[in-house]
Amino acid sequence: MDSFRVTAVSLCSQPASPRENLEHHTAWIERAKAENPDLICFPELGLTGYSITGAIWEESEPVPGPSTQALVELAREHDVMLAAGIAENDRDIVYNTYVIVGPEGYIGKSRKIHIPPAEVGYWRGGGIPPVIDIGVAKVGVNICFDNWLPESSRMVALQGAEVILAPYVWAVGDWDEPPDHASRNRAWKDYAGRTFPARAIDNGVFLIAINACGPSPYSSTPSFGNPMVMIYSTLGQLVAASPDDASDEVMVTADLDRGLLAERRSQGVFHPRFRRPELYGILAEGDIGPQDPR
């Protein structure tokens, strides 16, 4: 296969409302299928609905579980692979999880690793993220805050990832104020655009960032965050993105050329080949105090 097609949907999910959100995902899957993608992907916690309240535990579920099976049935009906966010319940502990399914069934899952301050106590960080082989590509997942720490992308790259899916719930600006979408979306892109190209080119991977567009998880006031999709090549180049002035849900489709994987990884200066892991023990020592400069 010379290329594969990905459709990313920045949609709005209702906090802790999985039945309503599943119906909304279904409508978008039916719409996105017209693009003839190999994979349709959605934002962080889209199925459950992002909530930093006790409701997230109440609506969490096993993976695989009911919502996963519903996705499998949709994948089978539309002959497409699907990737979506869900609050996973494992022995009464909640994880912020991303699940991938296909027409043949459940394929795999990955849990958010790094938990930012606002989310501490609502879900637990997962372990080393796996690489999930979906046939058309080997996929790693870095969820939201994970993408701001370069170790996250390197962990999946070293396991053979060719694509990093980066689902988000992240807004620039005050979620409870009427937004100037164009300026806020440009601010989102400006910040993320200083990070995503490096993750892509350093590791020789495609990177697909999918943000949730709202509503606010922090209050009952209806509002939108930043409708946002950004897709980068293995060379760190932006190949597709949602419009700056997007004010509502938005869908972006891109064909990812597998030849770019070979082009980047065959370059004389492909960064991973120059790693010195024997020197990196200090990275695993936890907090690093003052060092002897001698």
Side-chain angles (χ1 to χ4, degrees):
M1 181 176 291
D2 294 329
S3 66
F4 55 98
R5 176 169 287 189
V6 176
T7 296
V9 182
S10 173
L11 55 63
C12 305
S13 292
Q14 296 302 314
S17 302
R19 286 157 290 281
E20 180 178 350
N21 293 331
L22 179 60
E23 292 178 3
H24 196 46
H25 278 65
T26 300
W28 269 105
I29 290 165
E30 293 170 351
R31 180 176 174 182
K33 180 56 181 173
E35 300 287 312
N36 197 31
D38 298 293
L39 172 67
I40 303 171
C41 44
F42 294 97
E44 175 185 14
L45 285 176
L47 283 172
T48 309
Y50 187 101
S51 174
I52 45 175
T53 71
I56 199 72
W57 181 88
E58 295 171 6
E59 299 297 344
S60 61
E61 59 182 87
V63 175
S67 291
T68 306
Q69 185 56 39
L71 279 185
V72 169
E73 292 167 5
L74 287 166
R76 186 174 297 130
E77 176 183 353
H78 296 285
D79 191 29
V80 68
M81 285 176 286
L82 303 172
I86 188 170
E88 178 189 6
N89 188 307
D90 184 355
R91 291 168 291 185
D92 278 343
I93 301 298
V94 178
Y95 294 88
N96 183 333
T97 297
Y98 206 62
V99 61
I100 303 178
V101 306
E104 304 302 317
Y106 168 75
I107 300 175
K109 67 183 179 183
S110 187
R111 293 167 170 171
K112 189 171 186 174
I113 314 164
H114 303 97
I115 310 304
E119 299 173 356
V120 170
Y122 292 100
W123 43 79
R124 181 178 178 179
I128 296 173
V131 167
I132 303 168
D133 192 338
I134 64 171
V136 297
K138 296 177 181 178
V139 175
V141 180
N142 288 169
I143 299 175
C144 199
F145 194 61
D146 291 338
N147 290 280
W148 306 140
L149 292 98
E151 293 86 353
S152 306
S153 57
R154 185 53 55 87
M155 279 194 287
V156 293
L158 290 175
Q159 297 177 72
E162 298 168 321
V163 177
I164 292 178
L165 298 181
Y168 271 83
V169 174
W170 178 49
V172 173
D174 188 340
W175 281 41
D176 297 321
E177 292 294 329
D180 173 353
H181 285 100
S183 63
R184 281 183 23 169
N185 290 345
R186 282 193 292 268
W188 202 105
K189 288 181 176 180
D190 177 66
Y191 189 96
R194 286 175 265 159
T195 299
F196 294 155
R199 302 289 181 267
I201 196 169
D202 281 356
N203 297 294
V205 297
F206 297 101
L207 189 146
I208 304 165
I210 322 104
N211 194 39
C213 76
S216 168
Y218 301 106
S219 83
S220 59
T221 304
S223 63
F224 289 97
N226 295 94
M228 189 66 57
V229 174
M230 300 175 79
I231 301 177
Y232 284 86
S233 77
T234 62
L235 304 174
Q237 298 166 329
L238 184 66
V239 297
S242 52
D244 281 0
D245 62 354
S247 60
D248 204 339
E249 297 172 315
V250 65
M251 177 173 69
V252 175
T253 297
D255 292 311
L256 304 184
D257 181 0
R258 294 191 61 86
L260 293 178
L261 288 164
E263 179 177 344
R264 173 65 183 121
R265 296 177 182 199
S266 65
Q267 289 176 344
V269 184
F270 177 48
H271 302 156
R273 282 201 296 274
F274 295 86
R275 295 177 65 249
R276 296 284 307 281
E278 70 276 12
L279 305 180
Y280 301 157
I282 194 171
L283 299 179
E285 291 180 2
D287 292 337
I288 299 173
Q291 302 296 301
D292 187 340
R294 293 174 295 175

